[in-house]
Amino acid sequence: MSTFDVIVLGSGPGGYVTAIRASQLGFKTAIIEKENLGGVCLNWGCIPTKALLKSAQVFEYLKHAGDYGLTVEGADKDFDAVVKRSRSVADGMSKGVQFLMKKNKIEVIEGYGTLKPGKKVSVKDAEGKETTHEAKHIIIATGARSRELPSLPQDGEKIIGYREAMTLKKQPAKMIVVGSGAIGIEFAYFYNSMGTEVTVVEYLPNIVPVEDEDVSKQLERSFKKAGVKIMTSAEVTGVDTSGEGVKATVKTAKGEQVLEADIVLSAVGIKTNIENIGLEEVGIATDRDKILVNDYYQTNIPGYYAIGDVTPGQALAHVASAEGILCVEKIAGMHVEALDYGNIPGCTYCMPEVASVGLTEKQAKEQGYDIKVGKFPFSASGKAKASGNADGFVKVVFDAKYGEWLGCHMIGAGVTDMIAEAVVGRKLETTGHEILKAVHPHPTMSEAVMEAVADAYDEVIHL
Ligand SMILES: Cc1cc2nc3c(=O)[nH]c(=O)nc-3n(C[C@H](O)[C@H](O)[C@H](O)COP(=O)(O)OP(=O)(O)OC[C@H]3O[C@@H](n4cnc5c(N)ncnc54)[C@H](O)[C@@H]3O)c2cc1C
């Protein structure tokens, strides 16, 4: 039996980042992984989707080259090559994690791990050989997979989840995307750009339903302009896969209709990987598909911790990593502050991009704040106009009484790289006037943040 200070179960952005930080802090560390290093994020999530989206974006530029005074003849896509590029980017990233494990002297144990009482983990490798390892601290980071709805059972061919959606052998002519969160919307954008006829079906009244309503409406307009069909307040109640393609029954306030497509992508959220990992045997408490933890990610059983998608909180890579770092720093006896889940940015990488942090206008009102709202459209931004990307805006929400920056909501080109300004500003408890006095470079998209803040305080210059 090998003995460690820290064993991490699962090597996603939660697990591998935790292992590196643990090693930096002087802990003898091992990481257990049943598939590829890097987890969903690097292999099946954040990174391969962004590679696909980049191909879509370049293709869009080629199709609209004339708008920039350029002539591109015969611009076309090779779907197979687009998918291959995405896979090769993901493989490269996973190899990068291999390198990082080696560099940080972290032992990588390949196989399926099961927790055992007495702070042990048994691991079964691909040949069925079982080994047992023990540690002072065991951190569960087994992540999640695509959630299945009873009305939409995934068969991996006609009804698919995100893994199949990024590795299809043949581009579908028609696709229905069920769910308009970040995953559904990114695939809808990708396939529409590639030339697939896409219909998005969303149960709630707005697409990207967690976003500020103004952002949802703007994205809906942009998507419709690009040719994506959108059905909101609509529910897929059943699918018939007996024929050549799929017939999906969709219920709306106006009644039921049947949509036909080659493929239905189910993008209705995630299901955590908490079954068959020994939680019951060890006695670790769960609730509503999540492992229960305190502010430092300790479970109810001493010596066992959980971070990332398996715990409550936003299911995002940067959240998983931040939780893991905080967890091991606490184990190391460092002074750490609990994570502020109200200041986590969320991004959707379609075009126009969507990025936000903090309260929406509606949430701020519901929480009783007296607010000041400012908005600056990219149509008034020199950089946006010069770039030919004038769709979208920045919207800011401030508390009128104390000037607290309650929320920031952006839609437009490159905004996923701009939202960090609001995250840092909010973390440092910056007021609107401090943002106004921080000179932003010209011409940049980021000036729109300064102008939106100025608008909230009736000092806007370029409107
Ligand atoms: C299509 C898609 C796009 C996404 N895009 C983004 C994005 O742009 N930005 C963002 O922040 N987030 C994005 N996410 C979410 C992000 O991928 C997850 O939040 C993140 O991967 C969670 O990290 P994790 O470490 O908790 O778990 P995971 O990344 O799920 O990793 C868990 C790992 O544990 C392994 N494992 C599970 N059980 C065992 C076991 N018993 N033994 C050994 N190993 C085990 C798994 O094989 C896996 O490698 C996306 C997700 C998807 C599906």
Side-chain angles (χ1 to χ4, degrees):
M1 178 157 31
S2 41
T3 305
F4 298 91
D5 295 317
V6 172
I7 290 180
V8 186
L9 183 59
S11 74
Y16 86 78
V17 169
T18 307
I20 293 174
R21 187 71 188 116
S23 179
Q24 285 175 348
L25 291 166
F27 293 123
K28 186 181 173 205
T29 306
I31 193 160
I32 302 169
E33 174 54 58
K34 67 178 171 62
E35 284 185 47
N36 294 332
L37 290 174
V40 169
C41 175
L42 270 62
N43 296 288
W44 299 105
C46 327
I47 304 301
T49 51
K50 270 73 240 178
L52 295 175
L53 289 161
K54 190 69 200 179
S55 292
Q57 197 189 27
V58 172
F59 192 34
E60 288 294 333
Y61 273 118
L62 292 178
K63 286 189 276 185
H64 296 105
D67 297 351
Y68 296 87
L70 306 171
T71 309
V72 176
E73 272 166 20
D76 204 357
K77 86 268 160 174
D78 175 346
F79 185 75
D80 204 32
V82 167
V83 171
K84 277 200 183 111
R85 174 180 180 273
S86 158
R87 295 321 304 158
S88 115
V89 171
D91 289 350
M93 294 302 292
S94 181
K95 289 203 180 83
V97 176
Q98 246 172 50
F99 162 79
L100 290 173
M101 295 299 101
K102 213 169 161 189
K103 183 185 159 209
N104 287 282
K105 301 187 176 51
I106 295 159
E107 185 158 334
V108 176
I109 304 168
E110 287 174 13
Y112 189 96
T114 312
L115 305 169
K116 298 285 172 197
K119 294 192 264 179
K120 294 188 180 64
V121 188
S122 90
V123 182
K124 201 179 208 171
D125 70 14
E127 278 83 50
K129 197 179 136 217
E130 224 164 310
T131 49
T132 303
H133 309 268
E134 66 177 352
K136 294 186 193 106
H137 310 279
I138 294 175
I139 302 173
I140 307 159
T142 49
R145 58 186 187 272
S146 180
R147 182 164 83 103
E148 288 202 46
L149 289 180
S151 59
L152 213 53
Q154 294 178 25
D155 61 13
E157 286 181 12
K158 289 185 183 177
I159 318 280
I160 61 171
Y162 57 80
R163 283 199 185 210
E164 295 85 11
M166 64 184 85
T167 49
L168 286 179
K169 297 265 175 297
K170 191 170 161 259
Q171 185 188 346
K174 276 189 181 186
M175 183 184 242
I176 299 168
V177 177
V178 183
S180 74
I183 296 175
I185 283 297
E186 288 182 7
F187 278 113
Y189 172 76
F190 168 71
Y191 276 102
N192 180 63
S193 294
M194 291 286 119
T196 297
E197 202 180 291
V198 178
T199 304
V200 175
V201 180
E202 169 55 54
Y203 181 74
L204 292 167
N206 292 311
I207 60 165
V208 284
V210 297
E211 301 296 342
D212 190 277
E213 251 177 64
D214 287 354
V215 170
S216 296
K217 294 285 176 225
Q218 171 71 45
L219 189 68
E220 185 168 337
R221 277 194 297 276
S222 301
F223 265 41
K224 281 184 171 162
K225 205 166 101 189
V228 179
K229 293 196 186 78
I230 300 212
M231 296 174 76
T232 47
S233 304
E235 183 185 5
V236 174
T237 52
V239 277
D240 174 3
T241 54
S242 59
E244 260 212 1
V246 193
K247 288 189 175 129
T249 307
V250 182
K251 200 170 106 192
T252 65
K254 289 187 200 135
E256 271 188 0
Q257 56 174 294
V258 176
L259 303 182
E260 293 192 27
D262 303 308
I263 277 183
V264 174
L265 166 60
S266 173
V268 292
I270 55 163
K271 159 81 193 75
T272 58
N273 297 322
I274 58 169
E275 317 91 335
N276 309 317
I277 58 165
L279 293 182
E280 300 79 5
E281 204 189 331
V282 177
I284 294 172
T286 62
D287 183 34
R288 279 169 286 173
D289 200 37
K290 302 273 182 175
I291 298 176
L292 292 178
V293 287
N294 65 11
D295 280 353
Y296 307 111
Y297 309 101
Q298 295 155 342
T299 68
N300 58 316
I301 305 292
Y304 293 85
Y305 311 76
I307 55 130
D309 280 7
V310 289
T311 61
Q314 298 94 324
L316 292 168
H318 40 287
V319 173
S321 302
E323 290 177 344
I325 289 172
L326 205 154
C327 175
V328 279
E329 288 183 347
K330 180 71 180 174
I331 292 173
M334 290 172 66
H335 172 75
V336 286
E337 271 175 41
L339 208 63
D340 176 4
Y341 287 93
N343 198 29
I344 302 287
C347 298
T348 306
Y349 299 78
C350 49
M351 190 66 196
E353 293 181 348
V354 172
S356 64
V357 66
L359 301 180
T360 62
E361 181 176 354
K362 191 165 164 226
Q363 286 165 341
K365 282 181 184 156
E366 280 166 1
Q367 291 185 20
Y369 284 101
D370 180 14
I371 55 171
K372 277 187 185 293
V373 175
K375 205 167 170 184
F376 190 79
F378 285 118
S379 55
S381 150
K383 179 66 183 285
K385 289 291 238 189
S387 308
N389 292 316
D391 259 11
F393 56 82
V394 174
K395 174 174 174 178
V396 292
V397 183
F398 282 91
D399 167 40
K401 199 167 172 195
Y402 299 110
E404 184 187 350
W405 196 352
L406 298 173
C408 185
H409 309 276
M410 305 176 169
I411 177 165
V415 296
T416 55
D417 283 317
M418 278 163 53
I419 195 68
E421 173 174 359
V423 178
V424 175
R426 282 163 44 78
K427 172 84 183 155
L428 301 177
E429 299 183 3
T430 309
T431 63
H433 277 103
E434 285 166 326
I435 293 289
L436 288 184
K437 298 300 168 206
V439 179
H440 286 56
H442 176 76
T444 59
M445 299 291 276
S446 70
E447 285 170 294
V449 177
M450 188 176 64
E451 289 276 32
V453 175
D455 184 49
Y457 290 93
D458 295 324
E459 294 178 30
V460 68
I461 303 292
H462 291 97
L463 275 185

